[in-house]
Amino acid sequence: QVQLVESGGGLVQPGGSLRLSCAASGTIFSINAMGWYRQAPGKQRELVADITRTGFINYAGSVKGRFAISRDNAKNTVYLQMNSLNADDTAVYYCNADLWVSYGNRDTYWGQGTQVTVSS
């Protein structure tokens, strides 16, 4: 059974920084991609950033230049460094993993979510 464990959320002032972590564990044959989504009150869940096993990165336009995603494939862990945070970044952030759990069995998994609040 695959489990995604997130950490690093919290309360920060505008202009501050946070670093999120997500570690995947369990029966994992191969990681296709891992990334981060977020959902603010009254809004749909949206992609923030993701990164493939080979290192290809995709960012939402609203976070380019401020956020940086990275990963440690050996640890099945993905990180999100968030800088220059503003109120629009306030949301629950969810880790996502696109995994092969066996030959012919590919699934998407989600973490429990971690709250990020940007407020003065």
Side-chain angles (χ1 to χ4, degrees):
Q1 183 67 37
V2 174
Q3 183 179 16
L4 304 181
V5 180
E6 302 164 331
S7 63
L11 174 65
V12 296
Q13 295 184 351
S17 298
L18 284 174
R19 188 173 191 247
L20 306 182
S21 299
C22 173
S25 62
T27 303
I28 301 172
F29 179 77
S30 180
I31 299 174
N32 292 317
M34 295 185 71
W36 296 91
Y37 288 69
R38 67 185 181 186
Q39 187 167 22
K43 296 184 178 180
Q44 293 184 331
R45 187 174 299 187
E46 64 176 353
L47 173 70
V48 178
D50 59 13
I51 182 169
T52 70
R53 184 180 181 88
T54 58
F56 181 83
I57 295 172
N58 184 47
Y59 291 105
S62 60
V63 307
K64 286 183 178 179
R66 299 189 297 119
F67 291 10
I69 190 170
S70 61
R71 84 282 190 264
D72 186 335
N73 286 335
K75 297 180 179 179
N76 294 336
T77 300
V78 65
Y79 308 93
L80 185 68
Q81 179 66 47
M82 304 185 293
N83 300 318
S84 301
L85 288 162
N86 58 62
D88 291 335
D89 298 315
T90 296
V92 177
Y93 285 69
Y94 296 92
C95 181
N96 174 269
D98 178 9
L99 308 174
W100 290 97
V101 296
S102 67
Y103 282 110
N105 190 1
R106 180 180 178 181
D107 283 303
T108 297
Y109 299 88
W110 294 93
Q112 80 284 358
T114 183
Q115 177 70 47
V116 172
T117 302
V118 185
S119 177
S120 61

